[in-house]
Amino acid sequence: MSTNGTPPEEPNVPEQPLVEGTPAPAGAPEESGRRRLAAGLWPPRLSRAQLIVALLLFVLGLGLAIQVRSNSDSGPLRGARQEDLVRILDELDGRTKRLEDEKQKLEEQRKELESSSNQAEEARKQTVEKERQLGILAGTVAAQGPGITLRITDPKGQVQSDQLLDTLQELRAAGAEAIQINGVRVVAGSFFSDEGGGVAIDGKKITQPYEFRVIGKPQDLEPALNIPGGVVQTLEKEQATANVTRSAKIVVDALRAAKQPDYARSSSS
Amino acid sequence: MIAVLGLVAGVVVGLLVRPEVPAVVEPYLPIAVVAALDAVFGGLRAMLDGIFVDKVFVVSFLSNVVVAALIVFLGDKLGVGSQLSTGVVVVLGIRIFSNAAAIRRHVFRA
């Protein structure tokens, strides 16, 4: 590109070079160009041309800074074309939908888990309830409820273990649910034995008076003991006295240790 | 010297003040900046050639900016805005490079 033959569409170069403003030195054109640049730069002259150019360059710098800043401070979407934006929006919509679906699925799962845990809780409650009921039967938990107290006084020592066993069977037949005799819980596996003039239940010696605490329906238990030829009359034949007292609240608080069977295992599950 | 100061002042003000560009002007700003850069390089070259005239510089600067903005505007209206902007940037880039080459020959003698 020649320095003199500028194309006519070059806007900054006038048709006729005006050289009166700058003295053309006799040296090489490169030298003169450098000198002109240096001369324009260093002694800052306040000429009209300098001011106008400064104004335009100010505008340019302003635009440059604004553009750079607006490009840099607002993410990658700023320069994106419309199609790209539409595509991105579509993708976001799809992603939102997928996430919504996933959320719904997870919520359903959560609901399921909650209901199943509710069921598990219910089953656990029922198990606990069952355990309590079975504990009453097995004698591992205390029980209370309506029932009777049977007190047998035997001043002559005529009452034997078989009579106490008869009494117990009679009470069971009448629907007794929890029984303790003188602080010994009587369960299905209890046994009576005569021991040196006294009676032992499950190997524990008990002494007179024999006090039965029985939980059950009092209206059934009392007549069962008092029927003619029943327990009370038989005991009275042996010179013993038997008092039956109904009570709205009988506490059976003697306990037995739960015994793990050595050989028998549950066949279910 | 004052011209260089003006450029620096413009950049500083633009960075510090953060003026809001009206939405109407916003799409034309980058292309106008490139066109103005082209005018500045042309002016620098003319100065090194010893044929710089301030009036010509002003006119070329303003007309460059206006024409570049006009082309983009037209391109947007015709639906080929992005392609036309690319074309304008390419043309201006070529001109900037040739002017820079001339300036380089003056300054570095190479």
Side-chain angles (χ1 to χ4, degrees):
Chain A
M1 190 166 284
S2 66
T3 47
N4 282 332
T6 52
E9 68 267 23
E10 179 70 46
N12 309 95
V13 182
E15 301 299 319
Q16 288 97 20
L18 305 168
V19 290
E20 70 269 24
T22 48
E30 290 94 342
E31 267 304 322
S32 70
R34 278 184 126 191
R35 204 173 301 151
R36 270 194 291 272
L37 183 62
L41 271 184
W42 179 230
R45 292 186 307 273
L46 202 67
S47 68
R48 188 176 65 110
Q50 287 267 356
L51 280 181
I52 290 173
V53 172
L55 181 68
L56 290 181
L57 285 182
F58 175 81
V59 174
L60 170 63
L62 199 66
L64 207 62
I66 292 169
Q67 188 56 31
V68 167
R69 168 145 265 178
S70 70
N71 251 349
S72 59
D73 68 354
S74 53
L77 288 182
R78 179 145 208 120
R81 292 196 315 252
Q82 197 172 348
E83 308 93 84
D84 289 341
L85 290 174
V86 170
R87 191 175 43 77
I88 291 169
L89 197 61
D90 273 354
E91 277 173 10
L92 282 178
D93 275 348
R95 190 145 162 260
T96 311
K97 200 159 171 299
R98 275 203 308 278
L99 288 176
E100 284 283 344
D101 285 352
E102 199 181 329
K103 182 181 150 221
Q104 202 169 339
K105 225 182 279 172
L106 287 174
E107 265 174 5
E108 271 168 23
Q109 212 173 339
R110 193 186 71 155
K111 220 178 281 174
E112 237 166 66
L113 286 173
E114 264 178 6
S115 77
S116 76
S117 83
N118 279 350
Q119 285 173 5
E121 176 69 16
E122 185 61 29
R124 202 183 65 80
K125 267 191 212 156
Q126 286 180 5
T127 308
V128 169
E129 181 64 23
K130 194 97 179 172
E131 190 197 352
R132 284 206 352 247
Q133 291 171 359
L134 292 175
I136 290 171
L137 285 183
T140 55
V141 297
Q144 67 171 41
I148 60 164
T149 307
L150 168 66
R151 197 183 178 84
I152 299 173
T153 323
D154 176 27
K156 301 215 170 119
Q158 298 292 313
V159 175
Q160 304 271 304
S161 58
D162 56 346
Q163 270 130 4
L164 292 183
L165 181 60
D166 284 345
T167 312
L168 182 65
Q169 305 288 33
E170 196 66 53
L171 287 168
R172 279 182 177 154
E177 289 166 357
I179 303 167
Q180 82 177 55
I181 305 175
N182 284 18
V184 178
R185 187 71 168 264
V186 181
V187 294
S190 296
F191 59 91
F192 290 84
S193 51
D194 291 320
E195 242 176 53
V199 176
I201 304 177
D202 293 340
K204 281 184 204 158
K205 199 164 187 319
I206 58 173
T207 52
Q208 296 188 52
Y210 307 116
E211 187 192 50
F212 288 62
R213 283 202 234 161
V214 186
I215 293 176
K217 194 178 178 186
Q219 295 92 321
D220 289 348
L221 293 171
E222 196 184 356
L225 296 176
N226 286 328
I227 52 169
V231 171
V232 172
Q233 281 193 0
T234 311
L235 287 170
E236 276 165 358
K237 248 184 253 167
E238 306 277 353
Q239 317 285 315
T241 54
N243 293 321
V244 179
T245 320
R246 290 190 194 190
S247 173
K249 187 182 175 190
I250 295 286
V251 176
V252 174
D253 51 6
L255 298 183
R256 291 173 68 92
K259 198 178 161 213
Q260 195 72 23
D262 289 332
Y263 303 104
R265 293 280 179 271
S266 170
S267 61
S268 65
S269 78
Chain B
M1 189 61 193
I2 294 176
V4 176
L5 286 180
L7 179 64
V8 172
V11 172
V12 169
V13 168
L15 287 180
L16 291 184
V17 179
R18 316 193 60 171
E20 269 306 307
V21 187
V24 188
V25 187
E26 213 179 350
Y28 311 121
L29 189 59
I31 213 83
V33 166
V34 175
L37 270 180
D38 171 55
V40 168
F41 273 90
L44 194 56
R45 178 190 171 188
M47 200 194 87
L48 289 171
D49 284 345
I51 51 175
F52 179 80
V53 176
D54 55 350
K55 198 180 101 189
V56 175
F57 176 71
V58 172
V59 171
S60 78
F61 186 100
L62 294 180
S63 70
N64 259 13
V65 168
V66 170
V67 168
L70 205 64
I71 287 174
V72 175
F73 172 74
L74 205 60
D76 275 347
K77 288 290 167 230
L78 294 176
V80 288
S82 57
Q83 291 95 323
L84 212 48
S85 316
T86 311
V88 169
V89 169
V90 167
V91 170
L92 292 176
I94 291 172
R95 281 167 53 108
I96 289 174
F97 264 105
S98 63
N99 282 333
I103 293 165
R104 189 200 65 219
R105 262 183 231 118
H106 274 296
V107 174
F108 300 110
R109 290 180 228 151

